[in-house]
Amino acid sequence: MVLVIQLILLLSVLVSVTVCSDVFKLVNSSVKLVMQKKVEKFYDIGWIFNTENNIVRYNGNPPSKVFGSYKDKVEFNEETYSLTLKNVQKNDSGIYEAKAIDEQTVTVATYQLYVLDLVEKPVLSDSLQQSNDTCNVTLTCEAQKLSVTSHCYNNNCDLRKKKTSGDMFLSLSLHVSNSFIICNHSNPLSWKNTIMEMKHVKQLCPDKGDENGSGLNMADTKTVLLLTGISTIIIIIFFIIICCQRKRRTKVNCQNKKNDASSDVFNMVYEEIEPMNKGGNKAQSENHAAADSVYCTVGMAAQACSKDASTVSTANPGSKNQRAERNCESVDQTIFVTVNKARKPVYKA
């Protein structure tokens, strides 16, 4: 029975010594280490680095004693017995222990300190290898001497996440999805990533089944846009020329019609012949002649046509008009003759 109790006490001591807490801190930061067990009485208490380097000692009577190079680097609390490390660097990583000495030495705190740098932003790149029947794109993620790759064959990419580690905390991973490619570099205190869109890979390696050429690269796209713009400008100029020609043609036709109308006006001769009554006298009233009129058109030459009143008669307008037409066969212009008549007007052509 006594042996069992001794074994239990020994295991409890070993467990208290081996169990420690992990602490992660960035370079140039500070960390505070506190007591993990309650300290009731002691003759001496102190902190030790990596089991052999004394940092501070305190026997209950101030001031506490700080050793060597730790004088300007640590602060010891004489009431709580905590230890604060300032401006830690990577070489400060290690095991920190607090020991209380009474009838026996007891470890009252144990810490594993990891001092880490901020991670760097990873570099994500692609390389194309194309042959007659295949198109292969290799994706590479790199950071701090770490590298991870993934491959795409004919626009089909490996969608699995790949990861590699430089040590127990630093890691680099490459995740490929249908929309994005993510290269992530991380440690327990920081992480950074680089993202690439999947459409960039599809442009490098277009789908063979795409008959519409959706995999055109940026240079081809710019060429198509340039040709489209030039074609549009040419079409606009062409329509402007056609509109100007139609406008000019319409203006010429209107001018020709106007000239023809003016020529017809100048080729018209109006002549008024006053009718004679039975006694051979003129009409009694000009108002009477203006009221009722007879128009006779003679198509003979003006030089051969007589304007004598004997060629037109009101008694027998039909026969007189026929003789007037025979006398004026050579007339090229149109002559309008007005014959005044006392009664109903008669029109002859």
Side-chain angles (χ1 to χ4, degrees), residues 119-306:
V119 296
E120 298 176 355
K121 187 176 179 64
V123 177
L124 179 59
S125 59
D126 57 76
S127 60
L128 175 64
Q129 295 179 351
Q130 191 169 9
S131 61
N132 294 332
D133 298 328
T134 60
C135 179
N136 301 331
V137 177
T138 301
L139 303 171
T140 304
C141 176
E142 298 177 301
Q144 290 184 251
K145 298 182 180 180
L146 298 177
S147 178
V148 61
T149 60
S150 182
H151 301 280
C152 299
Y153 300 96
N154 291 333
N155 206 16
N156 295 319
C157 298
D158 185 3
L159 301 182
R160 294 178 298 174
K161 184 176 181 179
K162 296 185 176 182
K163 183 177 180 180
T164 186
S165 298
D167 52 40
M168 59 185 302
F169 303 115
L170 191 63
S171 66
L172 185 68
S173 63
L174 180 62
H175 178 70
V176 182
S177 67
N178 291 324
S179 301
F180 297 99
I181 303 166
I182 303 174
C183 177
N184 187 64
H185 186 209
S186 64
N187 63 23
L189 297 176
S190 62
W191 63 272
K192 292 183 180 180
N193 59 36
T194 302
I195 300 176
M196 179 187 297
E197 294 186 7
M198 179 57 73
K199 66 179 182 180
H200 173 72
V201 177
K202 291 182 178 180
Q203 289 175 350
L204 294 175
C205 196
D207 190 357
K208 294 174 64 177
D210 188 2
E211 298 180 355
N212 294 327
S214 59
L216 291 176
N217 55 28
M218 188 62 67
D220 294 336
T221 303
K222 291 182 178 179
T223 302
V224 171
L225 293 176
L226 180 61
L227 293 177
T228 302
I230 294 175
S231 301
T232 304
I233 294 174
I234 292 175
I235 292 173
I236 293 174
I237 295 175
F238 178 75
F239 277 108
I240 292 175
I241 293 174
I242 291 178
C243 291
C244 292
Q245 290 179 349
R246 288 184 176 179
K247 186 175 180 180
R248 188 181 298 109
R249 199 177 295 124
T250 303
K251 184 176 180 180
V252 171
N253 291 337
C254 292
Q255 187 66 34
N256 292 337
K257 289 182 180 180
K258 183 176 180 181
N259 294 336
D260 293 342
S262 300
S263 177
D264 292 340
V265 171
F266 286 113
N267 289 333
M268 295 180 182
V269 177
Y270 297 88
E271 182 175 354
E272 181 177 353
I273 302 175
E274 295 181 355
M276 298 178 62
N277 56 15
K278 294 181 180 181
N281 296 325
K282 295 182 179 179
Q284 297 178 356
S285 176
E286 292 179 0
N287 294 332
H288 203 264
D292 298 319
S293 302
V294 176
Y295 295 89
C296 177
T297 302
V298 181
M300 299 297 290
Q303 295 178 355
C305 181
S306 173

Side-chain angles (χ1 to χ4, degrees), residues 42-79:
F42 60 89
Y43 296 121
D44 198 3
I45 190 171
W47 283 90
I48 303 172
F49 175 61
N50 285 339
T51 69
E52 58 184 16
N53 297 321
N54 291 319
I55 301 174
V56 62
R57 278 216 173 166
Y58 180 63
N59 58 11
N61 297 318
S64 57
K65 183 179 181 180
V66 180
F67 293 90
S69 60
Y70 292 99
K71 289 183 178 180
D72 298 327
K73 191 171 183 178
V74 301
E75 291 181 358
F76 178 75
N77 191 311
E78 296 175 352
E79 295 180 358

Side-chain angles (χ1 to χ4, degrees), residues 79-95:
E79 295 180 358
T80 62
Y81 317 123
S82 64
L83 180 70
T84 300
L85 301 174
K86 299 180 293 183
N87 193 29
V88 294
Q89 302 299 315
K90 296 185 72 174
N91 56 8
D92 292 323
S93 299
I95 298 175

